[in-house]
Amino acid sequence: MSDTLTNTSLIRRRWRLAGQVQGVGFRPFVYRLARGLALGGFVRNDAHGVIVEVEGLTDRVDGFAERLMTERPPLAVYQHVEMVEVEARRDGAEFVIQPSQGGDPEAAVTVDTALCDDCRRELMDPSDRRHRYGLINCTNCGPRFSIVQRVPYDRPNTSMSGFDMCEPCRGQYTEPTDRRFHAQPIACHDCGPRVQLVDRQGRRLAGDPYEVARRLLRAGWIVAVKGIGGFHLAMRADDEAAVWRLRGAKRRDSKPFAVMAANLDEARRLVHLSDQGAAMLQSQAAPIVLARRRSDARIADSVAPDTHRLGVMLPYTPIQHLLFNDGGSTMCPLVMTSANVSDEPLVIDNDDALRRLGGMCDAILWHDRPIVRCVDDSVCIDMGDTPALPIRRARGYVPQAIELPTVSPEAGLCVGGELKNTIAVVRQSQAMLSHHLGDLKHPLALEHFKQAIEDMQDLFGVEPRWIAHDLHPQYLSTLHAKIIAEQYGLPLIGVQHHHAHAASVMAEHGITGPVLAMVCDGVGYGDDGRMWGGELMAADLVGYRRVASLREMTLPGGDAAARDTRRCGLALLHQIYGNRCGEQLVTRKLLPRDEDRRMLTTMIDRNVRCVGSSAMGRWIDGMAALLGVCETNHHEAQAAMALEALAAECTGDDTAGRAAMYRVAERESLDGPRRIDLSLLTKVLFERRAAGQSPAELAAMMHDQLALIMAEIIEHASARTGITTAALSGGVFCNQRLTDRLTSHLTERGLRVLRHATVPPTDGGLALGQAAIASARLAAGTTCEQGAASCV
C-alpha cells in the first residue's frame, strides 16, 4: 500500500491509562485534543483509570498519540499506558466524554494541590465573579485526596456532594473547553461552601472575615485557620509572647514551628534558599522547606530554638492568599502550625475545632466544606544542589503510588512502625502510602491509624492477602496487624526494622540490591531481640546480613535514655572507664547530684533495668550531654539538631589530615557483625571540651569524624563483599552535614550512593520498605523473617 493510501486510512485505537489521571483535567484535555484533530471516539473515567478511543485518519491518530504523551495536563501522571488497535466503527460520530463507570477501584487518587496561577489571578481580580472567594479551584488545583470518599473521582463521591451547583458553575462544569470542566470541587460565592470568622464559641464575628482576621493577627491574636487537610494555628512570627502562649496551649515546649511568608521574596528574607529549595516552595505540592535561617530574620527566637534551620512555606490555599496578600498590604510572616495538642492528630471538623482548639486560639477562620481525612503539611530539607530530603510525606504527595522493584503476586497491607507512622497498601507493583499518622502511643493517633487502614483499603479496592509488620513485638502497629491477621486468617510477614529502612531506599531507586546499607537511627528491634540502630548491612530485598554494628551501650532505664541524654552520656563513659565510671570528674559534671550518679552507675554496673543498644542516635544524644549542649530531648532529635546547628558555625572539614578515631572490636560470634568502637572519639571530644575548646568546633569534629569513620567501614565492606552501591537511611541521615560529607567520601572512593528523595529516612518510610521486602519475598516464594540474602 502506498504512503498516500496509508495516511488516509481510517483507523481506531484504544488507550487505557492508569496513574494520576482523574480529577486533573485529563478528560477535557483529551476532548480538546481529539476535537482539534477532527477525531471521533470517547474518553471516560472508570475504577481503573481512564479509557480513550479515537477514530480517524492514520496521520491524525498518530499525531494524537504523540501529543497524548507529550502535552498532558500539569497534574497528570502516567504510571501505565496500554494501547491497542480496534476495529473502526465508521459511524462518523464526534468525540464525546462518556459518563464514568464504577467497578473495583484501581484508579489512582489525585493529590491535593496548591492554588494555581490562573485561580490566583481570578481571586484577586475585582471584575471576576469569584473575586475573594476563599475556596476557588479548578482542574489544575485545589483539594482532591482530602475530599474524595470513593473512586471514580466524581462530585457525588466527594464531600462536595451536598453543594448543588448554580447555573454559571454548572455551565463551566459541562463546557469541555473551560478550565473548570469536570472540576469536582467547583464552587462560587452563590453555591459553594462559605467562609466565616467565628469566636471560640462558634459565634460569627461581624465584618469581612479576612480583613478582621488580618487585624486580629496583627494585634497578636492567635487565629485557627481551616485549610485543605485540616486546621492551622496562626499568629505573628515576631511576637515572642504570643509564641510562648501557643507553646503552652499546645504543650510543645521547644519543637520548632513552621512559618508562612507572603511570597518567595519574603521567604528569602527569612532563610537562605537554594534554587532547589525555592522550586520546592513554589511547586504544586508546596511543602514546608527547612532551610538555614538568616541572622537578621525578624522572627521570635522561640519559634525555632536550638536549630540553625527555619521551616518556611508559602500560601497554598485561597484563604491563605487572602490573609497574606489582600487589602493593599502584605501580611508579616506568620507561625502556621498544625492545630492540635502535641502528638494528637490534626483537627479537621468544625465542631471538633470548637472542642479541641477553643483554649488555644482567640478566633477561628473556617469554611463548611467537609474534610474527609486529615492531611498534614509535607516537610523537606533544602539540601542545596542535591534533591530536597523529605521529612514528612503528606499533603501534595499522598496517596501517589510508588513503583516497587518487584511485582507482588497478591495484594497486601503494610502497617509501618510506631513513631511517625504511615501505612501502605500494595497492589501488583505499586505501593500507596498513607498520609502521616504520627505517634501511635497517642490514643487518637492509634484510632486514626486503624481508620486509615480501612480507608486506604476501600479507596484503592485492596483486599489484603498478607500483612507486613515490624518485628518489635510491642509496637502497637504490630499488635494490630496480628489482630487483623487472626480475624481474617491472613499470613503475617515480619520485617526487621533496619532492613525495611534499607529497602525503602532501594525501592525509591528501583533496584532489588545488593547494597551496603548504612542505617542509623534511635532504636529498632533486631532479629536477636536486642535494640539496634547503628548498622551496616549487606542487603537485597529478600534478606540481609549485619556486616558491622556500633558497639553496644548499656542504657540505664531503657527508653528513659531517649529523653534524658545524660543517661546516654553515662553509658558512653562506662564504655571507657567501666566500674570506675562514677569516680571520674567528667561523670560528676554530667550528674552533679550524688544520688542520681550513684543510682545510674549502679544500674549500669549491675545491668539492672538497662537495655543494650547499638543505636547511633543514642550515641549522638550522649555526646550532646557530654559536650554540655543538651541534657533533655523535649522533642525527638532535639539534641542531634542542636549539635548540627553548632557544627554549621564551622564550614571547614575537621578531618583534613586526621585519622579516623575508632577501632574495630572482636566479633562477639563467628557470624556476628564487626563491632565499631567509638570510645576514642568520645574521649577526645569530652576531654577537649573540658580543656575549653568550643562546643561548635567539637560538634563539627564529631560530624566530620563520623562521616569519615562510616566511609572507611563501608569501603572495607565493599572490598570484602564486592558490593559497590551504598544506601543511607534512618533518622540520623536527616543531618545534612553528616549525609553530605559521607556521600562525598564514598563517591571519592568509587562507590555509588543512594539517598532518599521520595520518602523520609525516618520511620515514615518503613511502610514502603516493608512493601518492597514483602513483595520480593512473595515473588521468591519465601515469607520468612530474614530470608537468605542472595548478595552475601
Side-chain angles (χ1 to χ4, degrees):
M1 183 179 291
S2 70
D3 290 342
T4 302
L5 288 175
T6 301
N7 286 336
T8 57
S9 299
L10 199 64
I11 64 170
R12 189 178 185 93
R13 292 178 187 166
R14 176 188 298 143
W15 283 263
R16 172 168 290 284
L17 300 104
Q20 189 168 285
V21 289
Q22 293 190 12
V24 295
F26 187 73
R27 287 177 296 172
F29 156 71
V30 172
Y31 176 90
R32 290 190 294 269
L33 181 58
R35 284 286 186 121
L37 292 169
L39 298 172
F42 67 86
V43 59
R44 70 166 178 260
N45 283 349
D46 68 5
H48 305 277
V50 173
I51 295 176
V52 180
E53 284 194 16
V54 297
E55 182 171 317
L57 299 178
T58 301
D59 56 346
R60 295 184 181 181
V61 173
D62 288 342
F64 174 90
E66 180 179 353
R67 294 173 64 184
L68 182 69
M69 303 306 295
T70 60
E71 299 180 12
R72 67 188 74 174
L75 300 183
V77 177
Y78 300 162
Q79 291 171 335
H80 178 73
V81 179
E82 178 183 304
M83 188 276 292
V84 295
E85 301 278 348
V86 295
E87 185 177 353
R89 297 181 183 179
R90 305 179 186 276
D91 55 7
E94 293 186 331
F95 194 90
V96 296
I97 297 177
Q98 293 185 345
S100 299
Q101 294 183 348
D104 294 332
E106 291 185 6
V109 178
T110 309
V111 302
D112 300 308
T113 309
L115 190 70
C116 70
D117 291 341
D118 289 330
C119 283
R120 185 164 62 248
R121 281 191 290 270
E122 293 171 350
L123 182 70
M124 300 300 178
D125 182 358
S127 66
D128 193 274
R129 73 184 193 91
R130 291 187 178 85
H131 176 229
R132 301 183 81 245
Y133 179 54
L135 296 164
I136 188 173
N137 65 83
C138 71
T139 54
N140 295 327
C141 68
R144 301 290 192 277
F145 179 56
S146 59
I147 64 169
V148 67
Q149 295 162 327
R150 66 193 69 87
V151 293
Y153 175 71
D154 289 319
R155 194 178 181 97
N157 295 336
T158 74
S159 63
M160 286 295 293
S161 60
F163 297 92
D164 293 330
M165 283 180 270
C166 64
E167 285 306 311
C169 282
R170 185 170 297 280
Q172 291 181 302
Y173 183 84
T174 55
E175 172 51 57
T177 61
D178 195 280
R179 198 176 84 251
R180 293 187 171 88
F181 178 67
H182 283 213
Q184 307 308 335
I186 187 174
C188 69
H189 292 286
D190 297 328
C191 65
R194 305 295 175 89
V195 178
Q196 289 184 326
L197 183 68
V198 300
D199 65 15
R200 290 182 291 189
Q201 286 74 44
R203 296 174 298 209
R204 187 171 179 271
L205 297 177
D208 180 273
Y210 308 111
E211 292 179 359
V212 176
R214 285 161 64 91
R215 189 165 66 245
L216 296 179
L217 287 164
R218 285 199 169 106
W221 288 36
I222 298 173
V223 178
V225 182
K226 191 174 183 179
I228 286 182
F231 282 82
H232 289 99
L233 291 170
M235 63 184 176
R236 291 183 67 121
D238 60 357
D239 189 331
E240 198 76 57
V243 175
W244 278 111
R245 179 184 159 210
L246 182 60
R247 287 200 176 281
K250 280 179 64 77
R251 301 174 206 162
R252 185 167 165 173
D253 294 339
S254 57
K255 189 176 181 180
F257 288 137
V259 172
M260 182 173 283
N263 50 53
L264 184 60
D265 288 340
E266 290 295 316
R268 290 190 187 278
R269 292 188 177 97
L270 303 178
V271 294
H272 298 274
L273 283 170
S274 70
D275 291 343
Q276 292 255 13
M280 292 297 292
L281 276 180
Q282 299 178 98
S283 68
Q284 295 162 338
I288 297 169
V289 176
L290 292 165
R292 184 165 183 166
R293 178 176 171 172
R294 288 188 175 274
S295 59
D296 59 350
R298 299 181 62 182
I299 298 293
D301 290 339
S302 55
V303 169
D306 301 323
T307 176
H308 62 304
R309 290 197 182 95
L310 181 67
V312 294
M313 57 178 161
L314 300 181
Y316 59 85
T317 72
I319 290 175
Q320 292 166 358
H321 278 281
L322 290 170
L323 277 178
F324 274 89
N325 298 301
D326 193 25
S329 62
T330 299
M331 173 64 74
C332 64
L334 299 176
V335 165
M336 195 70 72
T337 187
S338 54
N340 55 3
V341 174
S342 185
D343 295 327
E344 285 186 359
L346 199 60
V347 174
I348 62 173
D349 178 75
N350 289 1
D351 290 338
D352 198 26
L354 294 177
R355 287 192 300 269
R356 292 171 58 190
L357 304 181
M360 297 187 199
C361 63
D362 304 299
I364 304 174
L365 184 62
W366 66 19
H367 56 77
D368 57 347
R369 182 180 67 205
I371 298 173
V372 174
R373 59 188 63 80
C374 63
V375 188
D376 264 306
D377 292 314
S378 294
V379 184
C380 65
I381 296 177
D382 184 350
M383 300 290 281
D385 295 335
T386 57
L389 178 70
I391 299 299
R392 182 168 69 204
R393 186 176 184 268
R395 178 190 50 77
Y397 297 100
V398 297
Q400 195 171 74
I402 298 175
E403 287 292 322
L404 298 172
T406 54
V407 176
S408 175
E410 298 177 307
L413 168 67
C414 306
V415 297
E418 185 163 270
L419 298 175
K420 294 180 171 60
N421 179 268
T422 60
I423 65 163
V425 291
V426 176
R427 186 177 58 210
Q428 297 178 345
S429 65
Q430 293 185 332
M432 281 69 70
L433 270 65
S434 75
H435 44 298
H436 171 81
L437 299 171
D439 181 358
L440 300 189
K441 291 180 181 178
H442 195 289
L444 283 176
L446 181 61
E447 188 60 34
H448 275 234
F449 161 79
K450 295 175 181 177
Q451 292 172 1
I453 289 175
E454 296 182 5
D455 180 37
M456 293 288 284
Q457 290 176 180
D458 290 344
L459 200 56
F460 291 97
V462 170
E463 293 185 11
R465 294 291 180 262
W466 51 266
I467 305 176
H469 63 89
D470 193 274
L471 291 184
H472 199 303
Q474 296 305 314
Y475 271 5
L476 294 173
S477 56
T478 299
L479 294 173
H480 190 65
K482 292 179 178 179
I483 291 173
I484 299 174
E486 183 175 354
Q487 183 177 358
Y488 294 100
L490 301 177
L492 289 166
I493 302 176
V495 178
Q496 199 280 322
H497 188 92
H498 301 97
H499 188 202
H501 274 302
S504 68
V505 189
M506 287 189 267
E508 275 195 41
H509 292 269
I511 67 170
T512 59
V515 299
L516 288 169
M518 179 63 79
V519 185
C520 298
D521 59 6
V523 67
Y525 192 84
D527 57 37
D528 57 0
R530 303 184 71 79
M531 296 298 111
W532 298 0
E535 313 304 318
L536 178 63
M537 296 174 161
D540 57 22
L541 291 183
V542 174
Y544 66 92
R545 179 171 66 84
R546 286 172 93 192
V547 175
S549 180
L550 191 64
R551 178 187 173 189
E552 273 199 357
M553 298 163 281
T554 304
L555 300 177
D559 287 346
R563 180 174 175 84
D564 184 355
T565 65
R566 299 173 307 165
R567 295 175 184 241
C568 299
L570 185 64
L572 297 183
L573 293 176
H574 197 272
Q575 288 185 335
I576 298 170
Y577 297 111
N579 292 344
R580 297 180 293 107
C581 176
E583 306 165 7
Q584 306 302 313
L585 178 61
V586 64
T587 308
R588 294 178 182 276
K589 288 182 177 180
L590 181 69
L591 297 163
R593 293 181 59 195
D594 291 343
E595 54 269 35
D596 290 344
R597 190 169 59 255
R598 282 195 298 267
M599 178 188 72
L600 293 175
T601 53
T602 300
M603 288 172 65
I604 297 179
D605 288 342
R606 299 179 181 178
N607 199 16
V608 176
R609 293 178 58 200
C610 291
V611 171
S613 171
S614 61
M616 182 63 76
R618 297 291 81 85
W619 185 91
I620 292 172
D621 285 345
M623 289 313 309
L626 291 175
L627 296 178
V629 173
C630 179
E631 291 188 350
T632 305
N633 275 321
H634 295 286
H635 60 83
E636 188 180 11
Q638 181 177 356
M641 291 165 61
L643 283 170
E644 186 183 4
L646 284 171
E649 298 176 16
C650 305
T651 57
D653 186 347
D654 191 85
T655 60
R658 296 179 184 270
M661 298 180 186
Y662 74 105
R663 70 181 184 88
V664 179
E666 292 297 322
R667 294 178 186 269
E668 295 165 4
S669 62
L670 287 176
D671 58 349
R674 287 178 165 84
R675 289 291 184 178
I676 308 305
D677 187 351
L678 300 180
S679 296
L680 174 59
L681 178 59
T682 302
K683 195 169 187 291
V684 169
L685 288 169
F686 75 69
E687 284 181 347
R688 290 190 180 187
R689 181 69 190 109
Q693 191 168 350
S694 74
E697 292 174 339
L698 295 173
M701 178 182 176
M702 184 202 82
H703 283 81
D704 297 347
Q705 275 287 326
L706 285 179
L708 182 60
I709 291 166
M710 290 181 187
E712 286 195 6
I713 294 166
I714 294 171
E715 182 183 26
H716 294 157
S718 176
R720 294 194 306 273
T721 63
I723 301 171
T724 58
T725 298
L728 310 181
S729 191
V732 167
F733 290 111
C734 292
N735 186 307
Q736 183 176 1
R737 184 183 184 110
L738 176 62
T739 304
D740 282 349
R741 300 204 172 191
L742 175 56
T743 300
S744 179
H745 286 314
L746 292 173
T747 303
E748 290 170 359
R749 288 162 166 78
L751 278 80
R752 177 190 180 197
V753 182
L754 307 182
R755 291 163 45 163
H756 285 281
T758 302
V759 300
T762 65
D763 287 4
L766 287 178
L768 176 61
Q770 292 171 355
I773 290 169
S775 298
R777 287 181 182 170
L778 288 166
T782 178
T783 59
C784 62
E785 290 183 352
Q786 181 166 342
S790 61
C791 59
V792 293

